[in-house]
Amino acid sequence: MKLSKRTDVLKPSATLAITAKAKELKARGVDVVGFGAGEPDFDTPEFIKEAANKALKEGKTKYTPSSGIPELKQAICKKLLKDNGLEYKPEQVVVSCGAKHSLFNVILVLFDYGDEVIIPLPYWVTYPAQVEISGATPVYLRTSAENDFQIEEKELRKLITPKTRGIILNSPCNPTGAVLNKTSLEIVAKVACENDIVVISDEVYEKLIYDNEKHYSIGTFSEEIKRLTITVNGLSKSHSMTGWRMGYAAGPLEIMKKVIELQDQSTSNPNSITQYASLAAFSAPEDEVIKMREAFDKRRKRIVEMLNSIDGISCNMPKGAFYVFPDVSRLYGKRYKDKVIKNSYDIAEVFLTDALSAVVPGEPFGDDNFIRLSYALSMEQIEKGVSRIAETVGKFV
C-alpha cells in the first residue's frame, strides 16, 4: 500500500519508547527505576477532580466551541496578563488537546515547504518532527553546557537565510532544564524583528523554576515582537494534568483565526470535562503547584549531587522543569563486559539492562554526548537508580 511522503519523516518518540520498555520490564516483575517519564508523579489536585465530577453531574458532556469555552479562554487571558504581562483577547486564544497539539496546530498554520525553522539544540524531540511534518526544514542552533545553554547572537545570525520563517523557544527547557535569561531572549527578539521571523514560545514548564530564577515571556519585550510571537502553554506540568490533555496558544488574531479553522477540521473542541476542570485550575490559588515545585527542588539538588559524584559524568544544575541532562561523553570508548560504549544509546542500553535504570539517550534531543533523566519520581527511587548507575559505571574499563 502506498503511503504519503509525509510519513517518511515519522519516527517513534524516544522518550515514549524508553518509558514503554521500562514499563514492560516492570510488568514482568523486574525492579526497574524509570527516569524516562515526562510527567509529574503527583496526582492531579483534588479540587480539579471535583470540578470535573461536578461538570459530569451537570451534563457538560456536549460539544463546545472548537477553540474552547468562553469562560476558560477569558481565564487564560487573565492568567497571561497576571503571570506573563501579555494582554490578549479571548478570540486570540485557542484551547487544544494538550500543548503538543497547540504546537502542531501553530506549526501547520505557519510553515510550508521550503521554509526553515530554527530550533535551539538540545531540543524537545517533537519540535523537529512537527516541523518536518509541515514540510519545512529544521535548522539547529547549537548551545552549550558551558554557558548553561543560553543563545549567542553570533551563532543565531549565522543561521538566518531568506528562507528562515520561524524560531521555536522552550524555556524552561526539556531536556536541559535551562531557563533562557533576558539577554538570550532579547537577542532572539532583536533578530526576529529585524528579519520578520515568527517566534513560537513554549512556556509549559514556567511554574517549575528554582533558585529565584525569573521567567520571561518574549512577547512582553515590545509590541513589535509581540506581533511575531505565539505563546504556548498548558496545565500538564504545572498541575499534574498530563492525561487530561489541555493546552493553549495565544497570538496575533490573523494567525489564531487560522488555528481555529484547522482545529475545526481536525479535532474540533478539546474534551469538555477537561475544560471545566481547567477552569477550576486557573481560578484557584497555586498552593499545590508550590508544594510540587518544592519537592522537585529537593530532588533536583540530590540527583545532580549524586550524578556529579560519578567519575566520567558531569551535570549542570537545571534551573527549571524536572529533568537533568548529564554529559556522559567521557565514558565513550570504555568497555563494559564485552561491549564498547560508543554513544548515548549504548549508555542507555547498559543502564537499563545492567543497572535496571531507564534513561533516555541524548541523540534524539540533538546531542549524543548526553542522556536525559527525569526526577519526577520519589527521592527513594532517585537514590536507588543513580546508585545503581554509579555501581555499573564503576565496572567500566
Side-chain angles (χ1 to χ4, degrees):
M1 180 184 293
K2 183 179 181 298
L3 301 178
S4 76
K5 289 185 178 179
R6 190 173 292 107
T7 61
D8 292 344
V9 302
L10 298 176
K11 46 190 154 186
S13 163
T15 51
L16 295 180
I18 198 73
T19 301
K21 195 167 184 179
K23 285 181 178 177
E24 180 188 334
L25 287 170
K26 285 181 180 179
R28 286 164 32 198
V30 181
D31 179 24
V32 173
V33 176
F35 288 106
E39 62 180 348
D41 57 317
F42 298 90
D43 194 10
T44 304
E46 199 63 34
F47 74 90
I48 296 175
K49 293 191 282 185
E50 288 172 2
N53 285 331
K54 183 173 182 288
L56 277 169
K57 289 176 182 175
E58 291 177 354
K60 293 176 178 175
T61 57
K62 307 298 183 183
Y63 292 134
T64 75
S66 182
S67 62
I69 57 175
E71 53 267 52
L72 177 56
K73 293 171 71 171
Q74 187 64 56
I76 290 170
C77 288
K78 288 180 180 177
K79 181 268 173 212
L80 287 169
L81 184 60
K82 174 178 169 287
D83 292 352
N84 307 96
L86 290 167
E87 186 171 1
Y88 288 108
K89 296 176 181 178
E91 56 265 35
Q92 294 176 273
V93 173
V94 179
V95 183
S96 301
C97 308
K100 182 185 279 190
H101 184 210
S102 298
L103 287 162
F104 195 49
N105 282 342
V106 171
I107 285 169
L108 286 184
V109 162
L110 287 174
F111 307 133
D112 211 339
Y113 292 91
D115 291 339
E116 294 178 349
V117 181
I118 295 172
I119 304 172
L121 178 160
Y123 46 73
W124 180 42
V125 295
T126 292
Y127 298 139
Q130 291 189 350
V131 167
E132 289 176 337
I133 291 168
S134 79
T137 301
V139 176
Y140 301 114
L141 171 63
R142 183 164 289 279
T143 65
S144 69
E146 285 71 30
N147 75 339
D148 206 19
F149 305 103
Q150 298 301 315
I151 291 172
E152 296 181 9
E153 183 170 353
K154 180 176 70 173
E155 298 303 314
L156 176 58
R157 289 192 180 278
K158 281 181 189 175
L159 303 180
I160 304 298
T161 76
K163 295 180 179 180
T164 306
R165 180 76 180 92
I167 300 172
I168 299 177
L169 300 179
N170 179 210
S171 178
C173 175
N174 172 10
T176 64
V179 175
L180 290 176
N181 59 32
K182 192 174 183 181
T183 300
S184 285
L185 292 171
E186 286 174 340
I187 288 167
V188 173
K190 178 169 66 171
V191 173
C193 290
E194 287 174 1
N195 295 276
D196 200 34
I197 296 169
V198 178
V199 176
I200 301 173
S201 181
D202 180 354
E203 304 181 11
V204 76
Y205 292 98
E206 66 161 338
K207 296 293 182 182
L208 300 175
I209 291 184
Y210 317 104
D211 299 334
N212 296 313
E213 209 52 36
K214 184 170 173 53
H215 171 76
Y216 295 96
S217 291
I218 192 171
T220 62
F221 285 15
S222 70
E223 280 303 313
E224 190 178 7
I225 189 62
K226 184 184 177 187
R227 179 183 63 82
L228 293 168
T229 299
I230 298 93
T231 301
V232 175
N233 210 324
L235 296 176
S236 291
K237 316 300 181 179
S238 61
H239 289 73
S240 196
M241 292 177 67
T242 49
W244 297 73
R245 308 315 300 136
M246 187 280 174
Y248 60 91
L253 185 59
E254 64 271 26
I255 295 174
M256 303 317 294
K257 279 182 175 179
K258 289 299 178 184
V259 169
I260 293 172
E261 290 174 11
L262 177 62
Q263 189 156 297
D264 282 345
Q265 302 299 343
S266 54
T267 59
S268 297
N269 65 273
N271 181 284
S272 61
I273 302 305
T274 290
Q275 291 188 64
Y276 288 101
S278 299
L279 183 60
F282 281 117
S283 305
E286 295 187 343
D287 298 359
E288 297 299 318
V289 178
I290 293 167
K291 284 181 191 175
M292 186 166 64
R293 184 169 63 233
E294 289 173 348
F296 281 143
D297 188 17
K298 291 175 184 175
R299 299 173 188 180
R300 171 185 72 113
K301 291 170 180 172
R302 181 60 175 146
I303 195 170
V304 170
E305 176 190 32
M306 292 186 73
L307 286 168
N308 280 330
S309 71
I310 302 172
D311 189 28
I313 295 179
S314 60
C315 185
N316 281 25
M317 181 67 75
K319 299 292 179 64
F322 42 70
Y323 309 104
V324 287
F325 201 57
D327 186 334
V328 292
S329 60
R330 283 188 292 149
L331 299 175
Y332 297 171
K334 293 184 179 291
R335 182 180 294 275
Y336 181 71
K337 295 182 178 178
D338 60 347
K339 185 180 184 69
V340 176
I341 305 299
K342 298 176 182 176
N343 52 48
S344 61
Y345 283 100
D346 288 345
I347 287 277
E349 182 184 348
V350 168
F351 287 174
L352 181 59
T353 57
D354 291 70
L356 298 180
S357 296
V359 305
V360 186
E363 193 274 338
F365 298 101
D367 200 323
D368 196 39
N369 288 331
F370 294 79
I371 57 175
R372 192 195 77 173
L373 293 81
S374 167
Y375 48 91
L377 61 165
S378 71
M379 188 74 83
E380 178 187 6
Q381 286 289 294
I382 288 169
E383 292 181 342
K384 180 196 289 188
V386 180
S387 293
R388 289 174 175 177
I389 288 170
E391 185 177 349
T392 297
V393 171
K395 298 173 184 174
F396 285 15
V397 294

